[in-house]
Amino acid sequence: RTIQVYVNGELAASGRTSSGRALHMRGTLSFGQMAHGSWSNHIFGGQLFQLNIYSGVLSSGSIKKIADWGLCGFDWEEFSSSRVLRWEDILTKSRTGSVTEVTGCDFAKELETMRVQLKTVTSQLSSTQDELDTVTGQLNRTEDKLESVTSQLNRTEE
């Protein structure tokens, strides 16, 4: 079997595993700690967010789609039948060690609101620029007419 690891939707590494190895959905999930032996103090010093384990291999297109949606904006229902370990289930389980739970999807909603506002303001700015271009054209034509009339007036006075 080949294991593939993706980071932000891009293939970061791949490698072969021994044949016959399988992931069984029982027992304890540990990060940074060996479950057996004297090396039990390995510390995971990172952050996990939206960790999911799937029953099969996702296509690179699916992985890219998930990454492109960002941390909080993805609709997981599309993958619900293949997610065997879901992030929202992990959050309900007991945890030991120095675990700090951070909820951060409110910023995604705020970011989306800001994107909509930015799109609206950009559209208004574009419309205002079009109006300014029209008025500038009218002003230039009026200035040309004024110069023409002024020139005719000057010739008449001579």
Side-chain angles (χ1 to χ4, degrees):
R1 291 185 176 167
T2 300
I3 287 180
Q4 296 175 322
V5 176
Y6 286 80
V7 176
N8 296 330
E10 301 293 328
L11 182 63
S14 66
R16 304 272 310 151
T17 64
S18 304
S19 62
R21 291 190 69 180
L23 177 65
H24 299 283
M25 295 308 296
R26 62 180 185 268
T28 302
L29 178 62
S30 298
F31 292 96
Q33 179 177 345
M34 298 176 79
H36 302 289
S38 61
W39 296 95
S40 62
N41 289 330
H42 292 236
I43 298 171
F44 175 73
Q47 298 176 348
L48 298 174
F49 190 73
Q50 293 292 4
L51 172 69
N52 293 281
I53 297 178
Y54 300 88
S55 61
V57 177
L58 297 179
S59 70
S60 60
S62 293
I63 292 168
K64 181 75 172 139
K65 186 177 184 179
I66 292 169
D68 288 345
W69 269 93
L71 293 176
C72 301
F74 194 72
D75 179 11
W76 291 104
E77 290 306 311
E78 180 175 342
F79 297 95
S80 63
S81 63
S82 63
R83 288 195 309 155
V84 293
L85 180 61
R86 303 172 339 142
W87 177 252
E88 53 271 30
D89 294 336
I90 293 171
L91 294 177
T92 66
K93 302 299 180 190
S94 65
R95 292 162 277 185
T96 60
S98 179
V99 176
T100 303
E101 185 173 329
V102 177
T103 57
C105 287
D106 290 340
F107 77 88
K109 292 175 189 171
E110 290 175 24
L111 183 59
E112 184 56 31
T113 300
M114 289 168 51
R115 283 183 183 142
V116 169
Q117 290 172 343
L118 179 60
K119 188 175 182 178
T120 300
V121 168
T122 301
S123 176
Q124 291 171 343
L125 181 60
S126 177
S127 177
T128 301
Q129 182 64 50
D130 291 344
E131 290 174 18
L132 178 61
D133 291 344
T134 300
V135 169
T136 300
Q138 291 170 345
L139 181 60
N140 288 338
R141 286 188 297 279
T142 301
E143 185 178 30
D144 291 344
K145 288 178 184 177
L146 180 60
E147 286 176 6
S148 176
V149 168
T150 302
S151 176
Q152 288 175 359
L153 181 63
N154 287 340
R155 276 180 278 170
T156 304
E157 289 179 348
E158 294 173 358

